[in-house]
Amino acid sequence: MKPVSAFKTLTLRVYWDEARFEVLDQTELPDREVWRECTSYEDAAEAIENMRVRGAPLIGAVAALGAWVAYERDEDYGEAIERLRNTRPTARNLFWALERMEGAENPRKEAERILREDVKVNRELGDHGAELLPDECTVLTHCNAGALACVDWGTALGVVRSAVFNMNKEVEVIATETRPVQQGARLTCWELSKDDIPVTLIADTAVGYVLASGEVDAIIVGADRIALDGSVANKIGTYQIAVLADRHDVPFYVAAPTSTIDPNTETGEDIPIEHRSEDEVKKVRGVRVAPEDVPALNPAFDVTPPELIDAIITEKGVVEPQEVADLV
């Protein structure tokens, strides 16, 4: 039997000749490594909506693959694009990837380009960002902006990986738990442990303590959308970390590919913020921890203004927030 051509990373397994792909179900981590098969655009949409895949670059990649599967299996391509476009509102990479797929002459080649480009640009931005770190340092990060948030390597954690593996720097990581879905505890700690990079988990409420104690040399986070004024939308809780970083004179960096910069979003106030189910706040992994009749507010992202950001790290180099408009 002829081997099936495939593309495989920590997060994706793509079988080009069979018009199907598999995603690592991140809702099951760290307890189990479960792969979910996607043979339709609806499978891809469900994986994005239910956060089986998450992280702006990976959401874009899975959306592109969902559109490609629809094309190969003679599903309604326009309908597939529209369905995928409406899965989540904040991550710019979702819309960027679908815009590319919509105008592609060959959807398979375009999807493959998007995947391979993601790996390339993350490694490039990782190397740029690693130059900012001392030879021995402790980095605090929020949520998960690693290989699990991308096709491979990562953005914020890509900087850490480049520092450790390409520049032989000694880097330790402090990871916030990242309520309410605990991406820091479940995902960042899991993938750094697999790479033998030292990581310590803290409660979200302990950030002020560790910054005040002088234990952190730099903060690096990812981004879901960057406005032209340099404002950054990222996982809820990022803004308050930036405020604390400013108070304690700790450098606050954002690592993201230029595909995350939205040329149609002028300011942070224009970024749509997704609000998710109350149950994510009122339950922890399916177990209710709050009175059933108490309402909960669950914004998935917040916006950090440019004056609180020391630099934005991209594959094109390290820039000040006010300079991001020049990159698109």
Side-chain angles (χ1 to χ4, degrees), residues 122-178:
N122 288 338
R123 287 181 175 271
E124 289 171 349
L125 75 82
D127 288 347
H128 289 308
E131 297 282 359
L132 298 171
L133 299 180
D135 288 342
E136 296 182 17
C137 61
T138 297
V139 171
L140 185 142
T141 191
H142 183 60
C143 194
N144 172 267
L148 288 170
C150 303
V151 177
D152 198 13
W153 202 246
T155 53
L157 294 189
V159 172
V160 172
R161 283 193 170 89
S162 288
V164 172
F165 299 125
N166 297 347
M167 300 181 184
N168 296 315
K169 295 185 176 183
E170 295 184 17
V171 183
E172 296 186 7
V173 175
I174 294 176
T176 61
E177 60 182 336
T178 323

Side-chain angles (χ1 to χ4, degrees), residues 55-76:
L58 183 58
I59 288 172
V62 170
L65 290 171
W68 158 68
V69 167
Y71 178 84
E72 294 289 346
R73 293 177 178 266
D74 293 323
E75 297 180 292
D76 187 313

Side-chain angles (χ1 to χ4, degrees), residues 93-150:
N93 302 68
L94 170 70
F95 306 99
W96 168 84
L98 291 174
E99 287 162 9
R100 289 183 56 170
M101 294 300 291
E102 202 167 24
E105 291 185 10
N106 187 321
R108 171 178 167 170
K109 287 184 178 180
E110 192 64 25
E112 189 168 6
R113 272 193 291 267
I114 288 170
L115 267 59
R116 296 193 183 280
E117 284 174 15
D118 182 76
V119 180
K120 179 176 180 290
V121 301
N122 288 338
R123 287 181 175 271
E124 289 171 349
L125 75 82
D127 288 347
H128 289 308
E131 297 282 359
L132 298 171
L133 299 180
D135 288 342
E136 296 182 17
C137 61
T138 297
V139 171
L140 185 142
T141 191
H142 183 60
C143 194
N144 172 267
L148 288 170
C150 303

Side-chain angles (χ1 to χ4, degrees), residues 35-316:
W35 290 85
R36 305 289 184 187
E37 185 176 59
C38 296
T39 58
S40 69
Y41 71 82
E42 186 58 39
D43 290 340
E46 187 275 339
I48 295 169
E49 286 177 333
N50 292 307
M51 295 179 68
R52 301 188 192 284
V53 296
R54 26 68 52 205
L58 183 58
I59 288 172
V62 170
L65 290 171
W68 158 68
V69 167
Y71 178 84
E72 294 289 346
R73 293 177 178 266
D74 293 323
E75 297 180 292
D76 187 313
Y77 195 61
E79 182 179 286
I81 295 283
E82 192 61 24
R83 171 72 177 95
L84 291 160
R85 185 177 279 128
N86 288 315
T87 49
R88 299 191 68 186
T90 302
R92 166 59 189 164
N93 302 68
L94 170 70
F95 306 99
W96 168 84
L98 291 174
E99 287 162 9
R100 289 183 56 170
M101 294 300 291
E102 202 167 24
E105 291 185 10
N106 187 321
R108 171 178 167 170
K109 287 184 178 180
E110 192 64 25
E112 189 168 6
R113 272 193 291 267
I114 288 170
L115 267 59
R116 296 193 183 280
E117 284 174 15
D118 182 76
V119 180
K120 179 176 180 290
V121 301
N122 288 338
R123 287 181 175 271
E124 289 171 349
L125 75 82
D127 288 347
H128 289 308
E131 297 282 359
L132 298 171
L133 299 180
D135 288 342
E136 296 182 17
C137 61
T138 297
V139 171
L140 185 142
T141 191
H142 183 60
C143 194
N144 172 267
L148 288 170
C150 303
V151 177
D152 198 13
W153 202 246
T155 53
L157 294 189
V159 172
V160 172
R161 283 193 170 89
S162 288
V164 172
F165 299 125
N166 297 347
M167 300 181 184
N168 296 315
K169 295 185 176 183
E170 295 184 17
V171 183
E172 296 186 7
V173 175
I174 294 176
T176 61
E177 60 182 336
T178 323
R179 283 281 291 146
V181 191
Q182 300 169 317
Q183 295 97 321
R186 295 189 301 105
L187 306 180
T188 294
C189 291
W190 181 79
E191 70 167 271
L192 288 176
S193 295
K194 286 176 72 72
D195 275 350
D196 292 323
I197 295 175
V199 57
T200 299
L201 176 66
I202 62 170
D204 292 348
T205 47
V207 171
Y209 173 84
V210 297
L211 294 184
S213 65
E215 297 178 35
V216 177
D217 299 293
I219 297 167
I220 311 177
V221 300
D224 286 81
R225 188 182 302 213
I226 301 174
L228 294 179
D229 71 344
S231 297
V232 170
N234 192 51
K235 181 55 58 183
I236 191 71
T238 301
Y239 169 56
Q240 60 203 39
I241 294 174
V243 171
L244 286 165
D246 182 63
R247 171 68 176 81
H248 294 288
D249 294 321
V250 177
F252 184 91
Y253 302 123
V254 174
T258 53
S259 56
T260 305
I261 304 169
D262 187 356
N264 300 312
T265 299
E266 293 289 337
T267 71
E269 294 179 353
D270 302 320
I271 298 175
I273 299 298
E274 176 184 8
H275 285 250
R276 295 183 60 82
S277 167
E278 291 186 358
D279 280 349
E280 289 182 353
V281 176
K282 295 167 69 172
K283 296 180 180 179
V284 176
R285 309 209 78 178
V287 178
R288 186 161 58 82
V289 294
E292 194 168 3
D293 59 346
V294 173
L297 179 67
N298 188 18
F301 306 94
D302 55 26
V303 176
T304 300
E307 60 267 24
L308 294 178
I309 301 169
D310 287 276
I312 294 179
I313 304 161
T314 78
E315 76 275 16
K316 294 182 180 180

